[in-house]
Every structure is written in C-alpha cells, then in structure tokens.
Amino acid sequence: MRKGFGIGLTVLGGFLVTLAVLAQFWAPGRLMKTPLDTDSLTLLDGTAQLSDGTGGTNEFPVKAFSVTRADSDRSDSEVIVFQNSSCLVKDEGGIDECVSASDPQERLLSASTDNFATDRRTAEAVDDPKYLPPSAEDKEGLINKWPFEAEKKDYKYWDSFAGEAVDATYDRTEDVDGLETYVYKIEVTDAPIEVTDGVQGTYSTDREIWIDPTTGAIVNQFEHQERIDDEGNPFLILDYGFTEDQVAGNAEDSKSNASSLKLIKDTVPLVGYIVGIPALLIGIALQLMRRRSAAA
C-alpha cells in the first residue's frame, strides 16, 4: 500500500513540476504570438471638415471602416502577413459599410488597401519579399498592435501619411471598462504630403492609442488630424476614434485573452510548484522509508 502510494505521489509530483516548468518557460513562447486566424473589423466615427474650394470648410459626421485579415498561406511560425482595406465616408443615409467611388450620394472621402507583415512576437514590421508583393510599401516600427507584455516606454510606430516610423510616447495608465491600459501619444507636425492629386501640402496629427499591455492589442484610439494645402488652407480636418461599441468589444476580448495567458504563465506554474514539489518530495521519502524498512 505504502509502495503504491509513494510511487503515485512521485509520479504526480513529477508531472506537476514538469507541467509548471513547461508553462513557465516553454508555453509563453508558443502562445504569445499573433494568431494566424486574425480577421478583424474596426469601426471609427467622428467629424470632418472638408475644403469647400474657397478657403473655407464644410463640416459633417464621418465613419471609418478598417478590415484586417491575416494571409495564412503567406505567414509562417515567425511572421504574419496582413491584408488591410479601409475607407472614410460621410455618415449619411444609415451607412454601415464602405461605399464605392461611384456612390450616387458621393459619401466616399477616401479608400485604400495595404499589405504588410509583422513579427508575430514583437509586432515589428518585416520587409521581406518572401512575404510581400513587390508593390508593398516598405515599413518599419509597429503597425497594427504593440508587442506582448508592452512596456511603459517609447516605441516606433508606422505613420503611413508621414511615410516613416514616428515616436509613440508612453503617457499614462488608464482604465478602460475594467481593463488597465497604457496610453501612448503620437504627434506629427507639418509633414510634407500630397493632400490630393497634384496638390502638395502638410499633414499633422495628434493621436492617442490605448494598449492592453498583456496582449499588445489596441483597445481604443482617438486622433485629431489636419491636412493643409500649399496655400495654407485646410483641405481636411478630422476628429475621430473608435466607436463606443468597438472599445467595449476590444476591452472584453483583451480581458479574456489576458486571462488565458495569465492562467498559463502564472497560475499553472504556481499550482504546479506548490502542489507538485511537496508531492514529489513526500513520494520519494515514502519510497526511501519503505526500502529502509525492507532492508532492516
């Protein structure tokens, strides 16, 4: 009886300790990667002021839609490839998706498509023809998320209008629907751009991005953006950010994903060591005691 009990405790203890070691040192490297089945729709709303052609502007509500999908065929264990399509539209007529350029109500303000690749762990841009078509724009820095276990420090963040990676400066910690987030600020001033076909001007933005530090996911974002033509007239001024429903959904998803990671990284090792080590030691001790009794 004692023999079986001792062996059982030894096996159980060894299993739990092994599980704890794997959960602490091996599993995070496997789990803390951007999933290859990423498929997201991001919704934003706000207001826009658009040039009226005489130096003034017309103001109206806007919506933005951004669809980002992973290309699993091009991705691998280290790099994930994304395809993104986005649009900015006038919020008129109960619109709930992008419209075509031939929309009779002329609600489409801008539309774009993009291909990019990032490291699945660090979220840094990867510029490699192995993953991207020749037409893909060279990028650097973070693009659509922060790294897992984001820190309270500055990061480089890709700004497609500025055409370069700009500083994303850690500003503060803020609660979003019960989720602790890190808020980063991005400021760009008078970057030269083509504001519309054949018209040069400048681009400026003041953006805040709320990040779940555990997963690196973007939970919320708000931006004030100005595009000014070469004569100093406003071409487009935007004040927009994630919708309330988008923020709430992002926060819930982040809390769920963070809880799963915490279970693997923290809870499983803790339980494994607390229960496994004593069980292993007691099991070994019982077997040694039995052997001594048998020898006597």
Side-chain angles (χ1 to χ4, degrees), residues 18-32 121 264:
T18 301
L19 182 63
V21 171
L22 290 175
Q24 183 177 9
F25 298 105
W26 180 81
R30 299 285 177 171
L31 297 176
M32 296 175 70
R121 290 188 178 89
I264 298 298

Side-chain angles (χ1 to χ4, degrees), residues 27-49:
R30 299 285 177 171
L31 297 176
M32 296 175 70
K33 289 184 175 182
T34 305
L36 294 176
D37 60 352
T38 298
D39 187 345
S40 64
L41 168 63
T42 304
L43 306 177
L44 305 90
D45 60 11
T47 60
Q49 299 175 54

Side-chain angles (χ1 to χ4, degrees), residues 31-42 66-73 75-76 79-85 116 118-120 123 144-145 148 215-218 250 253 257:
L31 297 176
M32 296 175 70
K33 289 184 175 182
T34 305
L36 294 176
D37 60 352
T38 298
D39 187 345
S40 64
L41 168 63
T42 304
S66 179
V67 177
T68 303
R69 294 189 175 95
D71 186 338
S72 57
D73 292 334
S75 305
D76 57 30
V79 175
I80 182 168
V81 180
F82 290 103
Q83 298 173 337
N84 172 265
S85 60
F116 60 93
T118 64
D119 186 285
R120 293 181 63 192
N144 64 333
K145 72 181 294 292
F148 290 89
T215 64
I218 298 177
N250 290 346
D253 288 343
N257 292 333

